Protein backbone atom coordinates (compact mmCIF):
# COMPACT_ATOMS: atom_id res chain seq x y z
CA UNK A 1 0.00 0.00 0.00
CA UNK A 2 1.87 3.04 -1.25
CA UNK A 3 -0.29 5.74 0.34
CA UNK A 4 0.61 6.53 3.92
CA UNK A 5 1.08 9.54 6.16
CA UNK A 6 4.87 9.12 5.99
CA UNK A 7 5.08 8.71 2.21
CA UNK A 8 2.84 11.69 1.60
CA UNK A 9 4.75 13.85 4.09
CA UNK A 10 7.94 13.02 2.19
CA UNK A 11 6.60 13.88 -1.28
CA UNK A 12 4.50 16.88 -0.24
CA UNK A 13 7.42 18.86 1.19
CA UNK A 14 5.88 20.59 4.17
CA UNK A 15 2.52 21.32 2.57
CA UNK A 16 -0.50 21.26 4.89
CA UNK A 17 -2.35 17.98 4.41
CA UNK A 18 -4.43 15.41 6.27
CA UNK A 19 -4.33 11.75 5.36
CA UNK A 20 -6.87 9.11 6.37
CA UNK A 21 -6.84 5.41 5.56
CA UNK A 22 -10.66 5.49 5.65
CA UNK A 23 -13.00 8.46 5.57
CA UNK A 24 -16.65 9.02 4.67
CA UNK A 25 -15.79 11.77 2.18
CA UNK A 26 -12.66 13.91 1.77
CA UNK A 27 -14.95 16.79 0.79
CA UNK A 28 -16.72 16.65 4.18
CA UNK A 29 -13.43 16.58 6.04
CA UNK A 30 -12.03 19.42 3.92
CA UNK A 31 -15.16 21.52 4.57
CA UNK A 32 -14.70 21.05 8.31
CA UNK A 33 -11.00 21.95 8.09
CA UNK A 34 -11.77 24.97 5.91
CA UNK A 35 -14.19 26.28 8.57
CA UNK A 36 -11.49 25.72 11.22
CA UNK A 37 -9.04 27.86 9.21
CA UNK A 38 -7.12 25.49 6.93
CA UNK A 39 -4.53 27.34 4.82
CA UNK A 40 -5.11 27.98 1.13
CA UNK A 41 -3.95 24.94 -0.87
CA UNK A 42 -4.31 22.47 2.01
CA UNK A 43 -5.25 18.91 1.06
CA UNK A 44 -7.32 16.09 2.46
CA UNK A 45 -6.44 12.66 1.07
CA UNK A 46 -8.06 9.30 1.78
CA UNK A 47 -7.15 5.81 0.66
CA UNK A 48 -10.78 4.69 0.93
CA UNK A 49 -14.07 6.59 1.10
CA UNK A 50 -17.21 5.09 2.60
CA UNK A 51 -19.59 7.81 1.45
CA UNK A 52 -17.82 9.44 -1.50
CA UNK A 53 -20.03 11.93 -3.32
CA UNK A 54 -20.30 12.63 -7.02
CA UNK A 55 -22.08 15.40 -8.85
CA UNK A 56 -25.86 15.64 -8.52
CA UNK A 57 -26.00 13.57 -5.35
CA UNK A 58 -24.53 10.51 -7.05
CA UNK A 59 -22.41 7.98 -5.18
CA UNK A 60 -18.67 7.94 -5.93
CA UNK A 61 -16.95 4.68 -5.03
CA UNK A 62 -13.41 4.74 -3.66
CA UNK A 63 -12.41 1.22 -2.62
CA UNK A 64 -9.09 0.89 -0.75
CA UNK A 65 -5.80 0.78 -2.63
CA UNK A 66 -7.02 1.64 -6.12
CA UNK A 67 -7.77 5.34 -6.53
CA UNK A 68 -6.99 8.89 -5.56
CA UNK A 69 -9.56 10.71 -3.43
CA UNK A 70 -8.34 14.23 -2.76
CA UNK A 71 -9.94 17.47 -1.73
CA UNK A 72 -8.08 20.74 -2.24
CA UNK A 73 -8.99 23.69 -0.05
CA UNK A 74 -8.96 27.02 -1.84
CA UNK A 75 -9.74 30.58 -0.86
CA UNK A 76 -10.23 32.17 -4.28
CA UNK A 77 -11.61 35.63 -4.99
CA UNK A 78 -15.38 35.48 -5.51
CA UNK A 79 -14.94 36.62 -9.13
CA UNK A 80 -13.02 33.41 -9.94
CA UNK A 81 -15.42 30.93 -8.32
CA UNK A 82 -16.85 29.57 -11.58
CA UNK A 83 -13.35 28.67 -12.77
CA UNK A 84 -12.35 26.51 -9.82
CA UNK A 85 -13.55 23.27 -11.40
CA UNK A 86 -11.66 24.16 -14.62
CA UNK A 87 -8.54 24.29 -12.46
CA UNK A 88 -9.12 20.70 -11.36
CA UNK A 89 -9.68 19.43 -14.89
CA UNK A 90 -6.55 21.21 -16.11
CA UNK A 91 -4.36 19.87 -13.30
CA UNK A 92 -5.55 16.28 -13.80
CA UNK A 93 -5.25 16.40 -17.59
CA UNK A 94 -1.71 17.79 -17.24
CA UNK A 95 -0.85 14.98 -14.85
CA UNK A 96 -2.11 12.36 -17.31
CA UNK A 97 -0.16 13.84 -20.21
CA UNK A 98 2.96 14.10 -18.04
CA UNK A 99 2.86 10.38 -17.21
CA UNK A 100 2.52 9.43 -20.86
CA UNK A 101 -1.23 9.20 -21.53
CA UNK A 102 -2.56 10.00 -24.98
CA UNK A 103 -6.03 11.03 -25.98
CA UNK A 104 -6.64 13.02 -22.81
CA UNK A 105 -9.74 15.17 -22.99
CA UNK A 106 -12.14 17.13 -20.83
CA UNK A 107 -15.82 16.35 -21.15
CA UNK A 108 -17.84 19.43 -20.28
CA UNK A 109 -18.05 20.59 -17.64
CA UNK A 110 -15.15 18.87 -15.92
CA UNK A 111 -14.84 15.10 -16.32
CA UNK A 112 -11.38 14.08 -17.43
CA UNK A 113 -11.37 11.29 -20.00
CA UNK A 114 -8.82 8.90 -21.45
CA UNK A 115 -9.79 7.61 -24.87
CA UNK A 116 -13.32 8.92 -24.32
CA UNK A 117 -13.80 7.13 -20.98
CA UNK A 118 -14.02 8.79 -17.61
CA UNK A 119 -10.86 8.52 -15.51
CA UNK A 120 -11.56 11.39 -13.12
CA UNK A 121 -14.53 13.18 -11.61
CA UNK A 122 -14.44 16.61 -10.02
CA UNK A 123 -16.78 18.00 -7.38
CA UNK A 124 -16.38 21.64 -6.34
CA UNK A 125 -18.30 22.75 -3.25
CA UNK A 126 -18.48 26.43 -2.35
CA UNK A 127 -18.61 27.16 1.37
CA UNK A 128 -20.28 30.31 2.68
CA UNK A 129 -20.74 31.79 6.11
CA UNK A 130 -23.91 33.79 5.49
CA UNK A 131 -23.00 35.89 2.48
CA UNK A 132 -19.28 35.76 3.24
CA UNK A 133 -17.32 33.37 1.02
CA UNK A 134 -15.17 31.10 3.18
CA UNK A 135 -13.66 29.15 0.31
CA UNK A 136 -14.03 26.19 -2.00
CA UNK A 137 -13.43 22.51 -1.54
CA UNK A 138 -12.38 20.98 -4.83
CA UNK A 139 -12.87 17.23 -4.68
CA UNK A 140 -11.00 15.10 -7.20
CA UNK A 141 -11.43 11.37 -7.67
CA UNK A 142 -9.05 9.56 -10.02
CA UNK A 143 -9.29 5.90 -11.03
CA UNK A 144 -5.77 4.53 -10.76
CA UNK A 145 -6.40 0.78 -10.78
CA UNK A 146 -10.13 0.44 -10.27
CA UNK A 147 -11.28 -2.66 -12.11
CA UNK A 148 -14.45 -1.86 -14.05
CA UNK A 149 -14.54 -5.11 -16.02
CA UNK A 150 -17.89 -6.83 -15.82
CA UNK A 151 -19.54 -3.79 -14.23
CA UNK A 152 -22.08 -1.43 -15.75
CA UNK A 153 -19.33 1.20 -15.98
CA UNK A 154 -17.06 -0.97 -18.14
CA UNK A 155 -17.71 1.01 -21.33
CA UNK A 156 -17.69 4.47 -19.84
CA UNK A 157 -14.98 4.42 -17.17
CA UNK A 158 -11.28 3.60 -17.21
CA UNK A 159 -8.30 3.54 -14.87
CA UNK A 160 -4.88 5.04 -15.48
CA UNK A 161 -3.01 1.75 -15.11
CA UNK A 162 -5.29 -0.11 -17.52
CA UNK A 163 -5.06 2.64 -20.11
CA UNK A 164 -1.27 2.91 -19.90
CA UNK A 165 -0.48 -0.78 -19.16
CA UNK A 166 1.89 0.29 -16.41
CA UNK A 167 1.81 0.56 -12.62
CA UNK A 168 2.03 3.89 -10.84
CA UNK A 169 2.85 4.95 -7.32
CA UNK A 170 -0.15 6.84 -5.97
CA UNK A 171 1.94 9.08 -3.67
CA UNK A 172 3.97 10.12 -6.70
CA UNK A 173 0.75 10.83 -8.63
CA UNK A 174 -0.46 13.01 -5.73
CA UNK A 175 2.79 14.99 -5.75
CA UNK A 176 2.59 15.55 -9.51
CA UNK A 177 -1.06 16.54 -9.29
CA UNK A 178 -0.32 19.06 -6.54
CA UNK A 179 2.44 20.62 -8.66
CA UNK A 180 0.05 21.06 -11.61
CA UNK A 181 -2.65 22.35 -9.25
CA UNK A 182 -0.23 25.01 -7.95
CA UNK A 183 0.69 25.99 -11.49
CA UNK A 184 -2.95 26.66 -12.43
CA UNK A 185 -3.91 28.23 -9.10
CA UNK A 186 -1.73 31.21 -9.94
CA UNK A 187 -3.67 31.61 -13.19
CA UNK A 188 -7.13 31.12 -11.67
CA UNK A 189 -9.62 33.58 -13.16
CA UNK A 190 -7.39 34.46 -16.11
CA UNK A 191 -8.28 34.40 -19.77
CA UNK A 192 -5.19 32.26 -20.38
CA UNK A 193 -6.51 29.54 -18.11
CA UNK A 194 -9.97 29.66 -19.66
CA UNK A 195 -8.49 29.33 -23.15
CA UNK A 196 -6.48 26.24 -22.28
CA UNK A 197 -9.52 24.63 -20.61
CA UNK A 198 -11.60 25.39 -23.69
CA UNK A 199 -8.95 23.90 -25.99
CA UNK A 200 -9.11 20.60 -24.05
CA UNK A 201 -12.89 20.19 -24.29
CA UNK A 202 -13.61 17.19 -26.46
CA UNK A 203 -17.14 17.95 -27.65
CA UNK A 204 -17.06 21.47 -29.04
CA UNK A 205 -18.59 21.59 -32.51
CA UNK A 206 -20.25 18.19 -32.05
CA UNK A 207 -23.89 17.16 -31.91
CA UNK A 208 -24.75 16.31 -28.34
CA UNK A 209 -27.52 15.57 -25.89
CA UNK A 210 -27.44 17.55 -22.67
CA UNK A 211 -29.29 15.97 -19.75
CA UNK A 212 -30.32 18.47 -17.17
CA UNK A 213 -32.57 17.61 -14.25
CA UNK A 214 -34.43 14.97 -16.22
CA UNK A 215 -34.74 17.17 -19.32
CA UNK A 216 -32.89 16.17 -22.50
CA UNK A 217 -31.79 18.90 -24.88
CA UNK A 218 -30.23 18.14 -28.25
CA UNK A 219 -28.11 20.49 -30.29
CA UNK A 220 -24.60 21.42 -31.30
CA UNK A 221 -22.12 22.26 -28.55
CA UNK A 222 -21.13 25.52 -30.19
CA UNK A 223 -19.08 27.34 -27.60
CA UNK A 224 -18.34 27.86 -23.92
CA UNK A 225 -17.99 31.11 -22.02
CA UNK A 226 -15.52 32.17 -19.37
CA UNK A 227 -18.00 31.26 -16.62
CA UNK A 228 -18.02 27.69 -17.92
CA UNK A 229 -21.49 27.95 -19.50
CA UNK A 230 -22.11 25.78 -22.57
CA UNK A 231 -23.72 27.38 -25.62
CA UNK A 232 -25.98 24.85 -27.23
CA UNK A 233 -27.35 25.58 -30.71
CA UNK A 234 -30.78 23.94 -30.80
CA UNK A 235 -32.16 22.34 -33.99
CA UNK A 236 -34.54 25.33 -34.37
CA UNK A 237 -31.56 27.72 -34.43
CA UNK A 238 -32.06 29.09 -30.93
CA UNK A 239 -29.02 29.38 -28.68
CA UNK A 240 -29.38 27.97 -25.18
CA UNK A 241 -26.86 28.59 -22.39
CA UNK A 242 -26.49 25.57 -20.13
CA UNK A 243 -24.73 25.84 -16.79
CA UNK A 244 -24.92 22.28 -15.52
CA UNK A 245 -25.74 18.89 -16.92
CA UNK A 246 -24.36 15.75 -18.49
CA UNK A 247 -23.25 15.80 -22.10
CA UNK A 248 -23.55 12.69 -24.26
CA UNK A 249 -22.64 12.30 -27.92
CA UNK A 250 -25.71 12.27 -30.15
C1 LIG B 1 -18.38 13.29 -10.37
O1 LIG B 1 -17.87 13.08 -11.47
O2 LIG B 1 -19.58 13.04 -10.15
C2 LIG B 1 -17.54 13.92 -9.28
C3 LIG B 1 -16.83 12.89 -8.44
C4 LIG B 1 -15.96 13.50 -7.35
C5 LIG B 1 -15.35 12.45 -6.44
C6 LIG B 1 -14.35 13.03 -5.49
S1 LIG B 1 -13.40 11.80 -4.67
C7 LIG B 1 -12.74 13.01 -3.59
C8 LIG B 1 -13.88 13.94 -3.24
N1 LIG B 1 -14.64 13.44 -2.10
C9 LIG B 1 -15.90 13.13 -2.43
O3 LIG B 1 -16.77 12.68 -1.66
N2 LIG B 1 -16.10 13.36 -3.75
C10 LIG B 1 -14.91 13.91 -4.38
Amino acid sequence: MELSQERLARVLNGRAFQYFAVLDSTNDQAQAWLREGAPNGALVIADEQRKGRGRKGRVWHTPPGVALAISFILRPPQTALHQVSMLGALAVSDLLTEIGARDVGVKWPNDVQLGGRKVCGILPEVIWNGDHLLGVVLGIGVNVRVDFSGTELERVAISIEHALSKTFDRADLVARLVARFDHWTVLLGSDAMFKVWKSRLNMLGKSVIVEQEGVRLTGTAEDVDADGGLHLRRPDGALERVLAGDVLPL
Side-chain angles (χ1 to χ4, degrees):
M1 165 140 113
E2 74 282 25
L3 274 189
S4 66
Q5 175 74 31
E6 296 68 32
R7 267 297 339 264
L8 288 166
R10 216 171 303 137
V11 297
L12 289 175
N13 275 321
R15 189 184 195 97
F17 80 94
Q18 296 181 342
Y19 170 73
F20 299 84
V22 187
L23 204 57
D24 280 348
S25 160
T26 56
N27 268 27
D28 288 345
Q29 178 63 27
Q31 283 194 26
W33 195 13
L34 171 64
R35 290 182 196 282
E36 286 160 14
N40 190 30
L43 305 175
V44 175
I45 303 165
D47 182 48
E48 176 185 0
Q49 294 188 116
R50 279 186 298 223
K51 292 186 187 159
R53 285 198 292 283
R55 290 196 303 130
K56 301 178 173 175
R58 291 176 188 142
V59 172
W60 182 268
H61 294 285
T62 312
V66 295
L68 298 182
I70 304 183
S71 296
F72 286 88
I73 294 169
L74 286 119
R75 299 180 185 277
Q78 204 164 322
T79 48
L81 271 189
H82 46 267
Q83 288 202 346
V84 168
S85 65
M86 297 180 193
L87 167 72
L90 286 168
V92 174
S93 50
D94 278 357
L95 160 71
L96 296 172
T97 306
E98 191 177 299
I99 61 172
R102 288 193 218 136
D103 201 5
V104 180
V106 177
K107 186 173 86 117
W108 184 89
N110 50 37
D111 283 355
V112 184
Q113 296 188 322
L114 275 181
R117 296 202 231 165
K118 179 161 173 168
V119 69
C120 161
I122 293 175
L123 182 67
E125 293 178 333
V126 183
I127 316 302
W128 301 89
N129 185 4
D131 55 8
H132 171 67
L133 174 66
L134 283 182
V136 182
V137 166
L138 182 65
I140 299 184
V142 183
N143 307 322
V144 178
R145 59 185 77 101
V146 183
D147 185 3
F148 294 105
S149 55
T151 75
E152 55 178 10
L153 295 175
E154 186 166 14
R155 285 158 186 261
V156 292
I158 196 160
S159 288
I160 291 179
E161 292 191 350
H162 301 141
L164 278 81
S165 303
K166 222 172 129 181
T167 55
F168 288 92
D169 176 309
R170 284 181 299 151
D172 176 59
L173 293 177
V174 171
R176 288 172 185 266
L177 178 63
V178 169
R180 296 319 298 162
F181 173 87
D182 287 349
H183 168 86
W184 289 111
T185 300
V186 177
L187 294 162
L188 185 64
S190 70
D191 194 43
M193 186 181 117
F194 164 68
K195 282 192 173 131
V196 178
W197 173 74
K198 180 174 168 177
S199 74
R200 293 186 189 177
L201 292 176
N202 56 13
M203 50 63 210
L204 280 186
K206 297 192 178 147
S207 296
V208 294
I209 304 173
V210 180
E211 278 183 356
Q212 204 189 18
E213 288 164 14
V215 181
R216 297 182 119 215
L217 303 173
T218 57
T220 305
E222 201 166 87
D223 201 2
V224 283
D225 54 50
D227 290 347
L230 173 69
H231 298 184
L232 187 70
R233 181 71 66 185
R234 305 299 311 282
D236 66 1
L239 196 61
E240 186 121 13
R241 182 167 181 265
V242 187
L243 276 170
D246 290 312
V247 177
L248 310 162
L250 189 64

